[in-house]
Every structure is written in C-alpha cells, then in structure tokens.
Amino acid sequence: MATILEPGEIEAAATAPPFLHLPPSNLFTLRALRLERLAEGHPLADYLRLIAGLCQQQQRLMDDPPDAAVPDPQRIQRCLEHGLPPFAADSLVREDAWLPWLNGLLQGYQPAAQSPVEQAVTTLRNASAGQLKTWALALVSGQFSLLPAALVPFLGSALQVAWSHWLLTTPDLALKPGTSLNQCPACGSPAMAGVIRHRGKYNGLRYLVCSLCACEWHVVRVKCVYCEQSKGLQYVSFDSDRHAADKAPLRAETCPGCQSYLKQIYLECDAEGEALSADLSSLMLDMRLEQEGFQRPAPNLLLAPGGD
C-alpha cells in the first residue's frame, strides 16, 4: 500500500540531507598517498610511512579479497529489519570471517629483519585464533591496554579492510541511525573524526567517519556528538590566530559540558583531506587538548594511546 505524505512531510523529505556517504573503493590508496605526503618533514614521519605501507596492503586486499566466509546474509537482514548495525563489531570479531584478512595482510607485509615491526608481525603470525580474537575484541572495545601496543596497527588494519569490504559489497543496505550520534549505523563502532563536505548535495554537511568500516553518517553541525549539547562549543586548531584558525582544514570541536572533543576536517579548506591521515598527523593537537583537560572518546584503530 502506498504511503501518502502530507504537505509538510513532502517538504521535509525533499530537503532532508542524505544520511550516508560511503567510502570510495580506493579509500586505502587515497589514505596511503595522503600519509606519504604528510610524512614529509613531519616529526612522526617514520610512523606515518609505516601506516602508509599498511594502507597499501589494505588496498591490495580490497582489490583482491581473500577466499573467506562472509557475514550471514540472514542475520544482516534481521539486523536491518530491527534497525541494528548489520556488521556489529563486538559480535563479528568473535567469529572467523575476518581472520583470513589478517593472514592476507601479514603475508603481503615484509618488515625489516630484527626490527620491532618484524617482532609484532611474528607475534601475530604465531598467535592462535582464540588469542587473535581476544586481542581484536579488546581493540574494537577501546581497551587498548589489553593488547601489546605494537600489534595495534596490524590488527586494526586487518579489521578495517574486512569491515570496509563487507560494507561496500553488501547490496541494499538501508542503514538507520544508531542509538547515539557517535555510533556507526553499519557496525556500531564509534566515530574517529568528522568531515565537513563541500560538494553537491553534501555541501556544508557534517559526516562522522567510522573508526572501523569507514562508513560516514550525517550528524547536524554545532552539536556535541557525545552529550548532544550545543552551548559553548569552541573550535581549536594549530593556529592561535582566530582568523587563520577559521580557515584551518582541521579543527577540534571542544565541548565544555562533557569536556570531550572531536576532530573535524573541512574539505572546503583542503579538498584532499582524509580523516585517518589527518588524525594521525595532528597528534600534537591531541596533546595540547589533553593538557587543557579535554578527553578524546574517538579511537583510531591504527594507534595505541597511552591508556584506555
């Protein structure tokens, strides 16, 4: 039976912003290129180049996926029918479907001999499936202290590419908003950062970028995504000059109510901006905000913080 919309509902439907903005299929290539560029002259150049190399391996797997099981289509459909994340990380990480992605990532990665990176890769190669799942569950749960910090970029990379692949290759995903503004509608993971888009029907809209699958979902601007208040929000950048700060491509939205912050990338100021690379290259801003008493709820699955 057709649904009849009243005049006011017709106008709302016509003006409602698109809820989703899915990542491109070459997401990891774009990240790698951006990280390589940002690494030039950066204090963390070696680390950014390490992550760029992992992004290249992620793209290799996206282009040539391993022979692996996929999440149960019937379960995905049931989740969609009930408005639940179809790729719920806390559930799927306990299963085996993502493990071939980790194996594929490690097989294609050749670190320097006797380096800390080689030790991390060897640890993962020798670990049992049960141990890998335990570490991965700790990672997606934000309990970074429950796994060795050196393993985080490799586990995080494997999880990201598996979940992004499932997101982009599953048809008819009618995703609905999560239980909180900060929750990814596809996998239930928290956002890593926000992106203010600048073209076409997305112009001026804020989308939060999932820390796991890279799904982007619309959230209105000038509202804390954690406590949902708008009063007193301020925007902080590297530049202390107010006029220059208003043009900065990366700014942190700070909330005095819950003392949290979220980094945001403004594509009108840098059309090639990308959330993960911008986040990793701006860790000095995190240090500054921590000193000022703000907390960061947004995880980056390729970086182990100092604590939970």
Side-chain angles (χ1 to χ4, degrees), residues 106 115-125 150-152 154:
L106 298 178
S115 66
V117 173
E118 184 190 43
Q119 295 173 14
V121 170
T122 299
T123 297
L124 289 170
R125 285 173 175 164
L151 306 185
V152 168
F154 302 95

Side-chain angles (χ1 to χ4, degrees), residues 27-111:
L27 167 67
F28 300 110
T29 291
L30 297 176
R31 282 181 175 175
L33 292 172
R34 187 68 172 176
L35 284 162
E36 288 286 359
R37 191 174 309 165
L38 291 169
E40 297 178 8
H42 196 283
L44 297 176
D46 290 344
Y47 178 72
L48 296 181
R49 291 192 176 103
L50 168 67
I51 301 303
L54 285 174
C55 289
Q56 292 172 353
Q57 293 302 317
Q58 287 176 305
Q59 190 64 56
R60 176 182 61 81
L61 290 174
M62 281 289 280
D63 296 339
D64 186 16
D67 184 12
V70 297
D72 181 5
Q74 292 184 348
R75 181 170 63 181
I76 289 176
Q77 186 57 40
R78 287 196 300 270
C79 288
L80 292 173
E81 291 172 355
H82 291 87
L84 300 174
F87 308 112
D90 57 354
S91 296
L92 288 179
V93 78
R94 303 171 191 267
E95 302 178 6
D96 294 338
W98 67 274
L99 291 174
W101 295 85
L102 175 61
N103 292 333
L105 185 87
L106 298 178
Q107 288 174 4
Y109 197 79
Q110 300 297 328

Side-chain angles (χ1 to χ4, degrees), residues 180-237:
S180 68
L181 297 181
N182 183 48
Q183 183 187 46
C184 173
C187 69
S189 300
M192 172 178 57
V195 173
I196 311 300
R197 299 212 156 264
H198 71 309
R199 289 178 179 166
K201 60 184 178 181
Y202 299 100
N203 184 45
L205 299 178
R206 174 170 72 170
Y207 286 82
L208 301 191
V209 183
C210 178
S211 54
L212 178 59
C213 69
C215 178
E216 298 185 19
W217 64 100
H218 175 252
V219 174
V220 295
R221 295 172 65 172
V222 197
K223 174 182 280 192
C224 176
V225 302
Y226 304 111
C227 70
E228 301 191 22
Q229 78 163 23
S230 300
K231 185 177 180 180
L233 297 183
Q234 295 187 343
Y235 298 84
V236 181
S237 74

